[in-house]
Amino acid sequence: MAADGTDPFTPSLGCGFNDWVCYGQEGVARLIGQACKAAGNFIGDMLTNSFLGAQASSGDWDIAGSHFWFWAAVASMLVVGIGAWQVSVAVILQQPGRVLQVLAGMVAGVILSVLSLQWMPTIVTAMSGITSQLTAGLNGEAGIGAAILNVLGLGQGPNGVGYEIQSASPTWSIATVTSGGVNVIGPLLLALAALGVIAFAAFLLFVAMSLRTFGLIALVAFAPLGLMFYGQPRMKDMAMKWGQLALGLLLAEPLAAGILLLATNIAASTTSSSMGLLLTSAGIIFVAAFSPLWAVKFVEFAAGEVRTALSHSQWTQRQGSQTVSRVGRGVGSMVRRLAR
């Protein structure tokens, strides 16, 4: 019952007329083979759409804009109420500087909110375009999705519809390994297991990039709640958190693309086995799927370090001024004693 078909995912075992065991094995093998093909097509879809299909459309930004103005109206009432109270107290206490500070903070919050609505779609589109051009130029492929598909041995299907496993792919090599020319189910199960792991990783990457896009749209929609309170000292952290999250999500796409690009370049020169290459690819896709979380955490860490450095600098300046003041007082005291 040796496989005599050229396609390992549609094996033909040349069963005899009444060899029902052979027919059963052939049916199971073909079922697993079709599952392998379906998994390959799913992987191709997920990896390609992670950087193309997960992008926000103009309609998405329009929806974000409509929600933006609703929350802007809500936040404006709160900001005006709080600001009026603070201005009244400052006027009673005769603190003109405090009045100017409150008014400047309110104006700054409005400007930041409107700029986020106007500039965020442009920045996101520009970031995606730069990422695509850099990865395409460095890898010589149509894009990062095409690069990783090339490593996995997945190509366009007939007439450009769907994706299929290529004959030179690692999965094809695993599926064609038979035990004494008899067992075709075992290698197909192994190939299906490897494709299943990669499919799950690719699905996570697609979900992560989709959530990144949704997160950026949501940040624009709810920007007034975070940015219009920028002038309030106790609520300034909300604006800082908004900025950190926005910057982290913007950096997530080039970070994921960079991880996959590095992986494809390394895989092009690797001498590992077919199974090793597939599992390594799955692991790298898993890593890339968590790039939004890593980018946000990195931005938060960097912002914390900057704040620490600034506070340390201010502390140093205060200590220096106090030291100079002490030295000045000491010198003055000595001069007065000498004058006596």
Side-chain angles (χ1 to χ4, degrees), residues 46-67:
M46 292 295 100
L47 291 178
T48 302
N49 291 321
S50 292
F51 295 96
L52 295 177
Q55 299 298 326
S57 64
S58 58
D60 295 330
W61 294 118
D62 291 340
I63 294 173
S66 63
H67 285 263

Side-chain angles (χ1 to χ4, degrees), residues 45-55 128-129 131-132 135 143-146 148 205-206 209-210 212-213 252-261 288-289 291:
D45 258 345
M46 292 295 100
L47 291 178
T48 302
N49 291 321
S50 292
F51 295 96
L52 295 177
Q55 299 298 326
S128 299
T131 302
S132 298
T135 53
I144 189 62
I148 193 68
L205 178 62
F206 175 78
M209 292 296 104
S210 298
R212 167 192 174 269
T213 301
E253 184 182 44
L255 177 60
I259 292 172
L260 293 177
L261 178 63
S291 59

Side-chain angles (χ1 to χ4, degrees), residues 5-334:
T6 56
D7 182 359
F9 302 103
T10 312
S12 177
L13 304 182
C15 301
F17 180 70
N18 289 323
D19 196 347
W20 301 112
V21 175
C22 176
Y23 282 123
Q25 289 183 350
E26 183 179 271
V28 172
R30 291 194 175 194
L31 180 63
I32 299 173
Q34 292 306 308
C36 289
K37 290 184 176 182
N41 183 52
F42 178 81
I43 293 170
D45 258 345
M46 292 295 100
L47 291 178
T48 302
N49 291 321
S50 292
F51 295 96
L52 295 177
Q55 299 298 326
S57 64
S58 58
D60 295 330
W61 294 118
D62 291 340
I63 294 173
S66 63
H67 285 263
F68 172 91
W69 293 116
F70 170 78
W71 290 112
V74 174
S76 296
M77 291 186 291
L78 295 175
V79 170
V80 169
I82 296 173
W85 169 258
Q86 293 175 331
V87 169
S88 301
V89 173
V91 170
I92 293 173
L93 298 177
Q94 297 182 351
Q95 297 176 337
R98 177 57 180 164
V99 174
L100 292 176
Q101 183 181 1
V102 172
L103 295 177
M106 294 172 63
V107 173
V110 172
I111 293 175
L112 288 175
S113 299
V114 174
L115 287 179
S116 70
L117 176 63
Q118 298 296 324
W119 287 2
M120 184 65 81
T122 303
I123 295 174
V124 172
T125 302
M127 185 71 73
S128 299
I130 292 172
T131 302
S132 298
Q133 291 179 4
L134 287 177
T135 53
L138 290 173
N139 205 73
E141 297 283 348
I144 189 62
I148 193 68
L149 289 179
N150 184 53
V151 171
L152 296 175
L154 297 173
Q156 288 284 343
N159 301 320
V161 178
Y163 298 88
E164 63 181 9
I165 302 171
Q166 303 296 305
S167 59
S169 68
T171 308
W172 191 286
S173 301
I174 295 173
T176 53
V177 176
T178 60
S179 176
V182 175
N183 183 20
V184 295
I185 296 179
L188 286 174
L189 282 175
L190 191 60
L192 180 61
L195 289 173
V197 174
I198 298 175
F200 181 63
F203 174 72
L204 284 183
L205 178 62
F206 175 78
V207 170
M209 292 296 104
S210 298
L211 289 178
R212 167 192 174 269
T213 301
F214 175 78
L216 290 170
I217 295 172
L219 282 175
V220 172
F222 295 100
L225 295 179
L227 299 179
M228 291 188 71
F229 295 96
Y230 179 77
Q232 303 299 321
R234 295 185 179 181
M235 305 180 74
K236 187 175 292 186
D237 285 345
M238 293 174 60
M240 299 299 295
K241 287 293 184 182
W242 188 95
Q244 291 173 11
L245 186 57
L247 182 57
L249 292 178
L250 285 171
L251 294 176
E253 184 182 44
L255 177 60
I259 292 172
L260 293 177
L261 178 63
L262 177 63
T264 55
N265 290 336
I266 293 175
S269 58
T270 187
T271 57
S272 63
S273 63
S274 299
M275 179 57 73
L277 180 60
L278 290 178
L279 294 180
T280 301
S281 301
I284 293 170
I285 296 172
F286 269 119
V287 172
F290 289 94
S291 59
L293 177 62
W294 290 2
V296 172
K297 290 296 183 182
F298 172 77
V299 172
E300 290 179 352
F301 169 77
E305 291 297 311
V306 170
R307 283 196 297 268
T308 301
L310 290 176
S311 62
H312 180 72
S313 175
Q314 293 171 357
W315 179 84
T316 303
Q317 291 176 0
R318 287 195 299 269
Q319 293 298 317
S321 63
Q322 292 174 4
T323 301
V324 171
S325 178
R326 293 194 197 100
V327 171
R329 287 196 298 269
V331 172
S333 177
M334 291 176 62

